[in-house]
């Protein structure tokens, strides 16, 4: 179950930010007048929220106030002037605000614009006519305007009067939303400088931290190259660094002359990065939480196509006005991805114990970052008595994800170490001898790259009775449990065959004892792990060529002689399914030079890059045409390499080729 107390703590913190902020008590302007006589401007900056007087289609200066003024409107901050009746087509205008300052106080004031005035503006003090702030270039015609979108602080020279009259000239030909969207703040210069320093410190710390994480994980990827998690995480970090640099207008601050050119590119980058970041988050979670979108693989290719189109589209539209018509598409895409990711994380946290830690950690970090974003919105729009913390929330989010990646690799390293040990143990069960009198053998055994297998084969020679036994089996499933079941089968074969040889049992009696012992060992070892085992045995009298074939749910064996191919088809249920197993051996007789082919299903069921598989008809044809069984083995491996095209096998596979030659002595076999 999801730990509800942790979630409630985060929600409580969010509620505290929403309801406990002191900024809601700050005064607001009314009819173009803002009364700050009872406000301590040294404590924290105050936003110039409320109703400003607005003069459309005119850029007033202080000297113009002495003459007759044009028609004015009272407009609230936080909305575009085009949303008010009669102002839909206005492209520029002048805001006016009178501020009543606290009496008997001397301040070194400053003004802060937090990217909230669209788009170019000039701020002038009346009646002196002193311009205290300028951003971009204000104009009454579009060709002469230079847009602006950069956070900046402006000092206000020593001001002795208790009344401050502001004229804010704004032009916005290039943007849809116009006017004072986020009100500027006024306060003592030291408080504004402290606030700007903390925000800049957070942005710089976030950028450098993410850049360091990107370099670190990129190095890990190029060193290991065994998993895409490090690469996707490194690209995610670089994308966020690029977005921070773009959103904070770092390039504009360094190179102001390029402002006009960069302003046209900036919004394109922001919208494109919005899509890319959402896509990378989804891909990353798919790597860190195995099977994260497992049931939605059919949506992978359509999602890739939609993401590519939305990422490229901002660079194809002619201007911001056209792009603005698509804003809701991008915001909807981001919201859908966010809701989808949160829902999947909650689902995995509740229903997948093996992924519960990762899902809970991602949820907690995402909620912390969300709380930080809410705080910054409240600070910017409602003057909450806090400071900007979104950058620090971003740092904690990515640092936490980096720890999750490290934990994943530590777990993978431990699993890989255990896998190598289990493979080494499993290899010890394989036959140590492949040279026998009277018969030639050639075999190949391949375990899947990332898991222990359940394939098994063994070759036994009964020198006393001149018999030869070939065993091949395949445990259902994969992993260490399957390898242990195949080990139990190997032990049963070794022990039972030794007893049968000492008792001088017939070949049929020996096979009966072997099948009973194998069934009991698989039943015992595989019951708790829910494992069964398909199995087949070929027993051959090396003196006469008479043989018996027993099949327990396994693939058919093949007899190949002088171009004629015969399948040995007769079987029963797999081992480990019932306490007793039907025993129905199939007798056969072969001629000298006859080849026998046994294999596990992985040989014909592993897919290549184009979903092709090996065909049994082609395999038996290669064995029939080869000059010997060693060349036949090589031909099969070359055939597999051409089909699979270096694709690692998803399933382990084994095959054994036998050729009866009664004249072959042990020295000849060697």
């Amino acid at each position: 179950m999801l730990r509800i107390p942790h979630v409630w703590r985060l929600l409580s913190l969010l509620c505290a930010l929403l309801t406990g902020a002191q900024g809601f008590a700050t005064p607001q302007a009314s009819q173009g007048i803002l009364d700050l006589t009872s406000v301590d401007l040294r404590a924290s900056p105050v936003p110039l929220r409320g109703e400003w007087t607005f003069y459309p289609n005119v850029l007033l200066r202080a000297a113009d106030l002495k003459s007759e003024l044009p028609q004015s409107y009272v407009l609230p901050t936080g909305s575009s002037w085009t949303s008010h009746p009669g102002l839909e087509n206005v492209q520029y205008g002048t805001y006016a605000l009178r501020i009543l300052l606290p009496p008997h106080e001397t301040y070194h004031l400053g003004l802060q614009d937090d990217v909230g005035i669209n788009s170019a503006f000039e701020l002038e003090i009346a009646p002196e006519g002193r311009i205290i702030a300028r951003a971009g270039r204000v104009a009454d015609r579009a060709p002469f305007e230079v847009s602006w979108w950069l956070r900046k602080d402006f000092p206000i020279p020593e001001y002795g009067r208790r009344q401050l009259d502001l004229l804010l000239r704004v032009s916005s030909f290039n943007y849809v939303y116009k006017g004072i969207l986020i009100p500027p703040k006024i306060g003592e210069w030291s408080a504004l400088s402290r606030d700007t320093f903390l925000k800049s410190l957070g942005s710089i710390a976030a950028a450098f931290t993410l850049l360091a994480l990107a370099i670190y994980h990129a190095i890990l990827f190029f060193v290991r190259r065994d998993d895409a998690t490090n690469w996707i995480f490194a690209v995610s970090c670089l994308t966020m660094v690029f977005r921070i640099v773009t959103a904070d207008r770092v390039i504009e601050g360094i190179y102001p002359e390029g402002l006009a050119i960069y302003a046209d590119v900036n919004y394109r980058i922001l919208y494109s990065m919005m899509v890319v970041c959402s896509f990378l988050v989804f891909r990353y979670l798919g790597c860190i939480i195995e099977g994260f979108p497992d049931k939605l693989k059919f949506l992978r290719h359509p999602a890739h196509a939609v993401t590519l189109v939305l990422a490229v589209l901002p660079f194809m539209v002619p201007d911001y006005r056209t792009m603005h018509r698509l804003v809701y598409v991008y915001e909807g895409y981001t919201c859908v991805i966010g809701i989808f990711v949160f829902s999947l994380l909650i689902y995995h946290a509740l229903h997948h114990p093996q992924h519960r830690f990762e899902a809970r950690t991602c949820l907690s970090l995402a909620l912390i970052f969300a709380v930080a974003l809410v705080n910054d919105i409240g600070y910017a729009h409602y003057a909450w008595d806090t400071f900007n913390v979104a950058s620090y929330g971003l740092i904690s989010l990515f640092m936490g994800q980096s720890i999750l990646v490290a934990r994943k690799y530590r777990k993978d390293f431990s699993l890989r170490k255990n896998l190598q040990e289990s493979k080494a143990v499993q290899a010890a069960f394989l036959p140590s001898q492949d040279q026998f009198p009277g018969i030639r053998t050639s075999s190949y055994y391949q375990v899947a790259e990332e898991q222990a297998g359940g394939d098994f084969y063994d070759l036994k020679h009964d020198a006393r009775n001149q018999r030869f036994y070939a065993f091949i089996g395949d445990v259902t499933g994969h992993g260490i449990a399957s390898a242990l079941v195949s080990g139990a089968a190997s032990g049963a074969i070794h022990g039972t065959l030794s007893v049968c040889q000492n008792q001088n049992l017939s070949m049929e009696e020996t096979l009966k004892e072997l099948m009973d012992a194998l069934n009991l060992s698989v039943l015992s070892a595989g019951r708790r792990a829910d494992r069964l085992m398909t199995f087949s045995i070929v027993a051959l009298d090396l003196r006469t060529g008479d043989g018996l074939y027993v099949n327990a749910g396994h693939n058919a064996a093949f007899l190949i002689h002088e171009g004629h191919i015969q399948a040995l088809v007769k079987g029963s249920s797999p081992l480990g399914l019932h306490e007793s197993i039907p025993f129905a051996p199939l007798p056969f007789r072969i001629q000298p030079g006859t080849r026998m082919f046994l294999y596990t299903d992985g040989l014909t069921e592993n897919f290549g890059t184009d979903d092709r598989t090996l065909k049994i008809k082609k395999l038996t044809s290669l064995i029939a045409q080869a000059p010997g069984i060693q060349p036949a083995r090589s031909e099969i491996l070359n055939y597999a390499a051409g089909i699979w095209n270096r694709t690692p096998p998803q399933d382990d596979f084994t095959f054994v080729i036998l050729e009866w030659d009664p004249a072959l002595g042990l020295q000849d076999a060697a």
Side-chain angles (χ1 to χ4, degrees), residues 372-597:
L373 284 178
V374 171
N375 170 79
D376 277 26
I377 293 172
Y379 177 77
H381 289 271
Y382 304 106
W384 289 3
D385 192 13
T386 57
F387 61 93
N388 291 289
V389 295
S391 297
Y392 304 102
L394 189 65
I395 292 174
S396 66
L397 176 64
F398 275 83
M399 287 294 290
Q401 299 305 324
S402 181
I403 293 172
L404 280 182
V405 174
R407 184 178 183 272
K408 176 181 183 292
Y409 273 93
R410 186 183 67 177
K411 184 188 296 185
D412 290 347
F413 177 78
S414 177
L415 290 175
R416 191 173 289 109
K417 184 178 179 181
N418 293 336
L419 177 62
Q420 295 301 326
E421 292 176 353
S422 65
K423 286 183 177 181
V425 173
Q426 192 174 11
F429 300 146
L430 302 179
S432 58
Q433 180 183 357
D434 58 359
Q435 302 168 4
F436 307 95
I439 192 166
R440 290 185 173 89
T441 67
S442 181
S443 59
Y444 188 83
Y445 173 80
Q446 174 68 56
V447 180
E449 187 174 352
E450 295 296 331
Q451 56 195 359
D455 277 16
F456 166 79
Y457 84 99
D458 202 355
L459 305 173
K460 296 293 185 182
H461 179 250
D462 181 359
R464 177 184 301 177
N465 299 302
Q466 288 297 297
R467 297 173 190 161
F468 179 80
Y469 299 90
F471 307 87
I472 192 165
D474 185 7
V475 182
T476 57
H478 302 283
I480 297 176
S482 298
L484 291 176
V485 173
S486 64
S490 175
I493 290 172
H494 180 76
T496 305
L497 197 57
S498 298
V499 173
C500 292
Q501 289 173 351
N502 292 332
Q503 295 179 355
N504 199 24
L505 298 179
S506 67
M507 194 158 59
E508 183 172 348
E509 291 172 333
T510 301
L511 286 181
K512 179 68 169 66
E513 293 295 328
L514 283 169
M515 291 300 290
D516 288 341
L518 282 167
N519 185 57
L520 290 176
S521 65
V522 173
L523 187 66
S524 177
R527 178 177 295 166
R528 292 187 178 181
D530 195 21
R531 294 291 191 271
L532 302 175
M533 188 176 193
T534 63
F535 209 88
S536 66
I537 307 175
V538 170
L540 182 65
D541 189 326
L542 296 175
R543 295 167 296 189
T544 64
D546 292 323
L548 292 174
Y549 174 68
V550 180
N551 188 320
H554 199 71
N555 304 312
F558 290 87
L559 301 179
I560 305 167
H561 183 65
E562 295 181 351
H564 178 70
I565 301 172
Q566 176 188 355
L568 300 178
V569 182
K570 187 172 184 180
S572 64
S573 58
L575 302 177
L577 188 61
H578 305 289
E579 292 188 1
S580 62
I581 185 169
F583 178 69
L586 176 66
F588 64 89
R589 172 170 287 187
I590 60 175
Q591 301 297 321
T594 300
R595 296 171 184 174
M596 289 171 279
F597 179 52

Side-chain angles (χ1 to χ4, degrees), residues 353-373:
Q354 67 273 30
H355 306 141
R356 188 168 293 166
F357 176 82
E358 290 82 358
R360 286 175 177 172
T361 303
C362 291
L363 272 175
S364 301
L365 293 172
L367 286 173
I368 290 173
F369 182 58
V371 170
L373 284 178

Side-chain angles (χ1 to χ4, degrees), residues 101-394:
L101 298 173
H104 313 300
E105 295 287 349
T106 301
Y107 295 104
H108 182 196
L109 296 177
L111 195 76
Q112 181 185 84
D113 171 42
D114 197 6
V115 199
I117 302 176
N118 262 7
S119 63
F121 69 87
E122 282 183 345
L123 185 62
E124 182 180 4
I125 298 178
E128 288 86 348
R130 182 185 299 173
I131 296 177
I132 62 172
R134 178 182 286 114
R137 186 171 62 215
V138 179
D140 56 2
R141 283 176 290 176
F144 300 104
E145 181 194 80
V146 176
S147 302
W148 180 264
W149 195 276
L150 181 64
R151 174 191 175 104
K152 195 170 182 180
D153 297 339
F154 304 95
I156 298 177
E158 291 292 339
Y159 195 78
R161 294 189 296 121
R162 300 306 167 199
Q163 179 176 301
L164 185 63
D165 292 314
L166 300 179
L167 288 178
L168 179 65
R169 295 184 285 274
V170 181
S171 65
S172 184
F173 288 90
N174 297 317
Y175 293 96
V176 176
Y177 296 112
K178 310 171 189 296
I180 306 175
L181 304 182
I182 301 176
K185 296 178 182 179
I186 191 172
E188 193 171 47
W189 181 250
S190 60
L192 290 175
S193 300
R194 181 179 68 250
D195 177 72
T196 301
F197 171 75
L198 290 175
K199 181 174 178 61
S200 301
L201 180 64
S203 298
I204 293 172
F208 275 97
T209 301
L210 294 179
L211 185 61
L213 289 175
I215 294 173
Y216 171 71
H217 286 277
I219 292 174
L220 284 181
F221 171 77
F222 286 113
V223 169
R224 300 175 60 100
R225 289 184 178 272
D226 59 348
D227 190 358
T229 307
N230 275 312
W231 176 247
I232 293 176
F233 187 71
V235 174
S236 302
C237 292
L238 285 177
T239 304
M240 287 306 301
V241 170
F242 193 48
R243 182 170 173 79
I244 290 172
V245 170
T246 304
D248 288 356
R249 302 286 174 145
V250 174
I251 296 176
E252 294 176 6
I254 297 175
Y255 183 62
E257 290 79 7
L259 182 65
I261 300 174
Y262 190 70
D264 187 56
V265 180
N266 182 274
Y267 70 87
R268 305 177 190 269
I269 296 175
L270 287 177
Y271 283 115
S272 181
M273 290 301 102
M274 179 190 301
V275 175
V276 172
C277 288
S278 301
F279 174 75
L280 288 173
V281 166
F282 201 74
R283 285 296 307 273
Y284 163 76
L285 289 175
C287 291
I288 205 69
I289 302 177
E290 184 179 353
F292 179 66
D294 206 20
K295 298 181 179 179
L296 303 168
K297 289 183 178 179
F298 65 96
L299 292 176
R300 179 177 299 174
H301 295 299
H304 289 182
V306 171
T307 301
L308 180 62
V309 170
L310 292 179
V312 174
L313 187 60
F315 299 95
M316 308 298 292
V317 298
D319 51 34
Y320 180 79
R321 287 180 175 274
T322 307
M323 187 66 217
H324 180 262
R325 298 170 186 169
L326 303 172
V327 167
Y328 296 112
V329 175
Y330 283 81
E331 292 177 347
Y333 173 88
T334 306
C335 290
V336 168
I337 292 293
I339 294 172
F340 195 54
V341 167
F342 267 88
S343 301
L344 284 174
L345 286 175
I346 293 173
Y347 174 78
H348 278 268
L350 292 173
H351 301 289
H352 290 267
Q354 67 273 30
H355 306 141
R356 188 168 293 166
F357 176 82
E358 290 82 358
R360 286 175 177 172
T361 303
C362 291
L363 272 175
S364 301
L365 293 172
L367 286 173
I368 290 173
F369 182 58
V371 170
L373 284 178
V374 171
N375 170 79
D376 277 26
I377 293 172
Y379 177 77
H381 289 271
Y382 304 106
W384 289 3
D385 192 13
T386 57
F387 61 93
N388 291 289
V389 295
S391 297
Y392 304 102
L394 189 65

